[in-house]
Amino acid sequence: MTEQQQQYFLKQGFSQKQIEEIALGMENGVPVSVYAFKELMPQNMYQIRRGLEEGFDMHAYATPDYGWFQLEEIRLGFENNVDVSKYDDANISYKKMHQIRRALEEGNDLSEFISYEHDVLKKIRESKSLKIDIIPYVRQGYNAEQLEEILNALKDKLDIFQYIDVSFPGAAIHEIAQGYRSNADVDFYARDCYSWKQMREIRVGIEKQLDISYYMSPLFDHRQMEQIRLGLEEGLEVEYYNSLMYTANEMEAFRNRLKNGFEEEIVENDDLLDLVDLLEVNAEEDIHVSISDDDMEAYLTVSPNCKESLTKKDILKNLRYSDVTQNINMRMIDELLQGKHIGEKVLIAVGRPPKQGEDGRYEFFVKADSHKAPKILSDGSVDYSGGGDYEMIKVGQKVAYYHSATKGIEGRSVTNKRIPATRGKELEMLKGKGFFVLEDRKTYVAATDGKVELNGNLLEITKVINLEEANANTGNIRFNGNIEIAGDVSGGIRIEAGQDVIIGGFVEDAFITAGGNITISKGVNGGGVGELKAGGEVTAKFFETVKVTAGKCITANYSLNSELYSEGEINLSGKKSVLVGASAFAAKEIKAIDVGNMMGVQTKIKLGVSDKMKAELYRINTARNDNNKKLDILIKSEKDFQSKFSQEERDAMEMYIKIENAIYTLNIQEEELKKEYEDLMDVIAITKDACLVVMGNLYDNVLIEIDGKRTMSTQSNNVTVKKVSERVGIFKNN
């Protein structure tokens, strides 16, 4: 742009930013007359210019009716070859435009739903990409927060819909769905008389197998419910405070007193007291009673001065004067009356300590996932033929029974104070799939025939397909459970399992995917095209010219010209194990006898943090940052309400309830993301010690990379390769 042209535009009233956009258009050879209007914001000019530079017709959009965010969505639509006429109306907000454009890019048209809010459009778009129909719920008037929970429930195949309606906030629908996920009986709390916070307290109580009858009354607010629930979890006698007459703060004070050994004095009749005229109780100076600090032992000292006149009534009167009434040793009193122990300090009474209750426990009626350990053969190789042994169960068969925690037996001090006993701790309900819980909430029964697996608190019963072999006659196999093949798998066959794949024979150039483990008793020759991919472990006798990916460990006797990728470790077992050719990656460790060979075939070894881990860490951190920004804004709003209105007033305000619900939802997401972050960081921490352990020969021409640092091997024997001080070193094993 010449100085003369710039002066012209300045005289016409264009700003410097607008003139810069016009100048850039001139430089890039676009018809600036399309957007050289001073009524247009510089940002609008920018979007129109960008569109013109990319060859798009932007004439219709050179009007101040459009915001620059709207123009950006239109331009991006042109760039991605979608029909922008579906949303290029200036009356449509840019947020709606964004969702419609994204949907068109994904092959879906949302223009018929354009009257809905942008956040609802987002849920419709997400549901269509997942091929899940939420439109009936959209038409019923559910908002975006509710639709989020409905979509998640449909993804997880949860039948929550008999319990919900439009009046339930998203947080309440979440509590109902969570109950389904944990096999809790949602009938107890999926009612409109409870707030979502009350629902949460009842759900957690059911999952922890507590006696929720102590706090199920909807008249308790969620804070009171929480204090009663916590007391039950701690094994306390909540009868002391589970009354509507106490506030949540008062309940908390009671609970803390009980936790710290709260004692209550009990007024009872005692046969021994009948011997004493309470009106005459005065201490004898020659009879001294002392009590231990914990009130559990009482001692008596009788002076020689009263040896001749001492009576049982004198002793009992002095004990009563000191409030000692429980578990008095009458034999010791008789010995004192016989003249024994005079002048000595003797133990005269001992309190009864409380007996704590037994913790809850599960009794299992099947052996869960009982794999046989592999056999080490005489030649040093490993036999994996026992890898598929597990116990099968039939539908209707009892799987487990929960024995509830028992109530303890209270104790008494020597001064007749009650010492509460702690009830045993309850275990949480088993989570998982393939079973149901009877009405007693204790008996777990198989809902299907299948394989039983127990991992901590997760019980899964999954169906199993059994085949003799997999070949052209059987065709490809796809099953959302376990697949077991007794014989071989032929080339070209595709096998997909939601759980484990167990193969008793050899595998040719097949494609096998498992959500769980892949176990192959013989070996794999992939012919350069075969592939194994497991969310868990991959185990075989050998790998030849095959690509293997495992979320956990890879184990075999040897690997030849194969691509191995493990998020855990690679272990080539046996006396003749060798890793040669192609590549191997492991996050933690690669172990073999020999790596490479005498011919110098190039072998690439890589260890440490994987690209997948880095991408996952970026995703989690980005999501957490976004969540925290939203939480900061919401918490400030919440505090503003709290400073201006009472709790009763706030509870009646729709906006405050929405803020609470949003904070709760974001906190749940933060807890989930934090758990993902911690789990990932645990894995990444392990990679800091990543190493290659070679117990035999490390040959020439092995390229070793650890966390971006490389070295090329030279012939060595019995060594460990690891990163030290930002360099990869080769160290002799001890």
Side-chain angles (χ1 to χ4, degrees):
M1 177 182 285
T2 66
E3 180 67 26
Q4 185 178 4
Q5 289 171 319
Q6 184 173 11
Q7 289 302 318
Y8 169 79
F9 285 114
L10 283 171
K11 287 179 181 179
Q12 295 297 316
F14 286 85
S15 71
Q16 192 60 47
K17 292 286 186 184
Q18 289 173 312
I19 294 171
E20 287 175 8
E21 287 299 329
I22 295 170
L24 286 170
M26 288 179 173
E27 289 176 17
N28 293 317
V30 301
V32 296
S33 60
V34 173
Y35 64 89
F37 302 107
K38 61 184 179 183
E39 294 81 12
L40 294 180
M41 297 286 289
Q43 296 93 331
N44 290 43
M45 289 183 170
Y46 169 82
Q47 295 298 336
I48 295 170
R49 175 177 62 79
R50 286 284 307 276
L52 291 170
E53 288 172 356
E54 293 166 16
F56 307 132
D57 183 1
M58 303 295 288
H59 286 76
Y61 310 112
T63 166
D65 293 340
Y66 289 97
W68 73 275
F69 282 125
Q70 291 173 305
L71 291 176
E72 182 180 41
E73 292 301 329
I74 292 168
R75 179 178 62 79
L76 291 172
F78 278 127
E79 284 183 8
N80 292 296
N81 298 311
V82 302
D83 184 0
V84 298
S85 67
K86 297 285 186 181
Y87 63 89
D88 65 353
D89 186 336
N91 294 312
I92 299 173
S93 72
Y94 78 88
K95 292 182 178 180
K96 287 187 179 183
M97 286 184 173
H98 177 77
Q99 296 304 328
I100 296 170
R101 174 181 64 79
R102 290 281 306 277
L104 289 169
E105 290 171 2
E106 295 163 358
N108 297 308
D109 184 1
L110 301 188
S111 57
E112 66 174 295
F113 307 108
I114 207 160
S115 61
Y116 291 101
E117 294 297 324
H118 70 91
D119 50 0
V120 172
L121 286 177
K122 181 181 180 182
K123 295 305 160 192
I124 297 173
R125 178 178 65 79
E126 291 174 352
S127 70
K128 285 186 174 294
S129 69
L130 294 168
K131 295 182 171 53
I132 295 174
D133 184 13
I134 66 167
I135 302 305
Y137 307 101
V138 173
R139 299 197 190 283
Q140 289 176 48
Y142 286 93
N143 63 33
E145 180 191 16
Q146 295 167 312
L147 291 171
E148 169 79 12
E149 299 302 334
I150 289 170
L151 180 57
N152 288 335
L154 289 169
K155 277 195 294 189
D156 295 341
K157 296 182 172 59
L158 306 178
D159 185 18
I160 66 172
F161 302 100
Q162 60 180 308
Y163 294 105
I164 69 171
D165 61 44
V166 179
S167 68
F168 278 28
I173 297 173
H174 175 83
E175 292 303 325
I176 295 168
Q178 284 295 93
Y180 264 88
R181 291 185 182 98
S182 61
N183 296 292
D185 189 346
V186 300
D187 275 329
F188 283 104
Y189 65 87
R191 306 170 188 175
D192 57 11
C193 62
Y194 293 118
S195 71
W196 64 267
K197 291 183 177 179
Q198 290 172 310
M199 288 183 180
R200 178 185 60 189
E201 293 303 327
I202 297 172
R203 173 182 63 80
V204 172
I206 294 171
E207 290 173 354
K208 294 181 178 294
Q209 310 209 74
L210 308 176
D211 186 353
I212 59 173
S213 65
Y214 281 105
Y215 63 91
M216 271 194 64
S217 170
L219 298 177
F220 285 120
D221 67 33
H222 72 274
R223 301 172 190 82
Q224 292 170 307
M225 287 184 170
E226 180 185 31
Q227 292 304 321
I228 298 169
R229 173 180 63 79
L230 291 172
L232 290 169
E233 286 183 32
E234 293 159 349
L236 306 177
E237 294 187 35
V238 298
E239 295 93 337
Y240 280 110
Y241 64 86
N242 71 320
S243 169
L244 290 166
M245 68 183 289
Y246 297 121
T247 66
N249 289 337
E250 290 170 334
M251 288 183 174
E252 183 178 18
F254 265 108
R255 183 170 66 83
N256 288 330
R257 287 177 66 193
L258 288 169
K259 283 169 61 178
N260 295 325
F262 165 69
E263 299 175 346
E264 182 184 13
E265 187 169 354
I266 309 299
V267 178
E268 293 183 352
N269 292 326
D270 191 302
D271 292 341
L272 291 176
L273 299 185
D274 293 340
L275 299 173
V276 181
D277 182 351
L278 296 181
L279 295 176
E280 297 180 358
V281 172
N282 289 297
E284 294 282 350
E285 293 181 359
D286 292 330
I287 301 176
H288 177 70
V289 178
S290 61
I291 301 172
S292 62
D293 291 339
D294 62 2
D295 216 33
M296 294 300 288
E297 293 180 345
Y299 296 88
L300 187 72
T301 305
V302 176
S303 170
N305 296 336
C306 63
K307 177 179 179 182
E308 301 301 328
S309 61
L310 184 65
T311 66
K312 180 180 291 188
K313 185 174 181 180
D314 292 334
I315 295 174
L316 292 174
K317 183 169 66 174
N318 277 267
L319 290 172
R320 180 65 185 86
Y321 183 82
S322 299
D323 294 326
V324 176
T325 60
Q326 292 295 305
N327 296 333
I328 295 173
N329 187 341
M330 299 305 294
R331 179 177 296 177
M332 179 58 69
I333 290 177
D334 289 340
E335 291 182 6
L336 287 166
L337 293 174
Q338 295 168 14
K340 299 178 181 179
H341 313 298
I342 300 300
E344 299 175 13
K345 183 178 179 180
V346 296
L347 182 64
I348 196 66
V350 178
R352 185 180 71 241
K355 182 179 180 182
Q356 309 308 330
E358 295 181 1
D359 292 343
R361 62 182 177 86
Y362 282 100
E363 180 182 3
F364 291 95
F365 302 99
V366 293
K367 292 181 180 178
D369 200 21
S370 54
H371 291 272
K372 289 182 179 178
K375 298 176 183 177
I376 306 299
L377 303 178
S378 57
D379 65 354
S381 62
V382 181
D383 178 10
Y384 298 103
S385 60
D389 292 333
Y390 51 81
E391 184 161 351
M392 295 291 292
I393 196 168
K394 295 291 185 182
V395 61
Q397 186 175 338
K398 186 191 292 188
V399 183
Y401 182 82
Y402 181 68
H403 296 270
S404 298
T406 61
K407 193 173 182 178
I409 301 173
E410 69 177 19
R412 293 291 179 87
S413 73
V414 293
T415 59
N416 200 27
K417 290 178 182 175
R418 176 184 291 174
I419 306 172
T422 302
R423 184 183 180 88
K425 298 288 180 67
E426 301 287 5
L427 298 178
E428 290 191 17
M429 293 184 71
L430 296 176
K431 299 178 181 179
K433 60 185 179 182
F435 63 88
F436 59 90
V437 186
L438 297 184
E439 289 184 6
D440 63 2
R441 293 166 54 198
K442 297 176 182 293
T443 307
Y444 293 74
V445 178
T448 181
D449 295 346
K451 170 188 173 185
V452 184
E453 293 181 274
L454 180 67
N455 183 11
N457 198 44
L458 184 66
L459 173 66
E460 292 188 340
I461 302 172
T462 49
K463 294 180 180 179
V464 178
I465 284 182
N466 291 284
L467 299 170
E468 288 300 315
E469 55 188 14
N471 51 35
N473 292 328
T474 63
N476 296 331
I477 304 164
R478 186 175 184 178
F479 183 59
N480 193 31
N482 300 283
I483 298 174
E484 182 170 358
I485 299 167
D488 299 336
V489 177
S490 301
I493 295 297
R494 291 185 177 274
I495 298 173
E496 295 181 24
Q499 300 293 321
D500 297 343
V501 175
I502 300 166
I503 298 168
F506 289 95
V507 175
E508 297 178 1
D509 53 334
F511 303 87
I512 303 174
T513 303
N517 302 325
I518 297 175
T519 304
I520 302 167
S521 295
K522 302 296 177 63
V524 184
N525 189 325
V529 294
E531 184 171 357
L532 311 177
K533 188 174 182 180
E537 300 177 359
V538 178
T539 304
K541 194 167 187 178
F542 62 81
F543 299 117
E544 293 184 2
T545 58
V546 63
K547 184 176 181 180
V548 183
T549 303
K552 295 183 180 177
C553 300
I554 295 175
T555 306
N557 285 326
Y558 70 85
S559 173
L560 177 63
N561 293 324
S562 295
E563 295 180 29
L564 309 184
Y565 180 96
S566 167
E567 291 287 336
E569 55 191 50
I570 297 172
N571 187 11
L572 301 181
S573 318
K575 295 179 180 178
K576 300 179 181 179
S577 70
V578 62
L579 172 58
V580 60
S583 62
F585 168 84
K588 182 181 177 182
E589 181 182 77
I590 298 175
K591 184 181 290 186
I593 299 298
D594 294 337
V595 177
N597 66 4
M598 295 179 66
M599 303 297 294
V601 173
Q602 188 175 68
T603 304
K604 296 180 180 178
I605 302 294
K606 190 173 181 180
L607 294 131
V609 180
S610 67
D611 292 340
K612 180 180 176 183
M613 291 178 191
K614 292 174 184 176
E616 184 67 3
L617 184 60
Y618 177 80
R619 180 193 69 79
I620 293 170
N621 284 335
T622 301
R624 292 187 74 186
N625 288 335
D626 290 345
N627 268 13
N628 288 331
K629 288 176 183 177
K630 294 175 184 176
L631 272 172
D632 286 344
I633 295 170
L634 289 167
I635 289 170
K636 286 177 182 176
S637 299
E638 181 186 44
K639 288 180 178 178
D640 186 49
F641 272 93
Q642 290 171 347
S643 67
K644 295 177 180 177
F645 306 101
S646 68
Q647 181 68 53
E648 292 73 19
E649 290 174 313
R650 297 196 301 269
D651 288 344
M653 293 179 177
E654 183 179 356
M655 179 57 70
Y656 182 76
I657 293 171
K658 285 184 177 180
I659 290 172
E660 278 196 319
N661 290 349
I663 290 172
Y664 173 69
T665 302
L666 287 172
N667 278 328
I668 288 175
Q669 292 174 3
E670 171 59 18
E671 287 175 11
E672 293 170 351
L673 288 168
K674 184 180 178 183
K675 178 67 166 56
E676 289 182 46
Y677 175 81
E678 290 172 348
D679 290 345
L680 181 58
M681 292 309 294
D682 286 343
V683 174
I684 290 175
I686 293 172
T687 68
K688 292 179 180 178
D689 298 320
C691 62
L692 168 66
V693 180
V694 182
M695 293 164 284
N697 295 304
L698 174 60
Y699 292 97
D700 293 337
N701 207 29
V702 176
L703 178 62
I704 305 166
E705 178 180 333
I706 303 178
D707 280 338
K709 304 298 181 181
R710 296 183 175 185
T711 189
M712 184 68 76
S713 69
T714 55
Q715 177 77 39
S716 54
N717 178 266
N718 192 24
V719 294
T720 293
V721 185
K722 57 186 177 180
K723 189 174 81 169
V724 178
S725 300
E726 296 304 309
R727 58 178 290 273
V728 176
I730 300 175
F731 303 89
K732 194 74 174 176
N733 294 329
N734 294 329

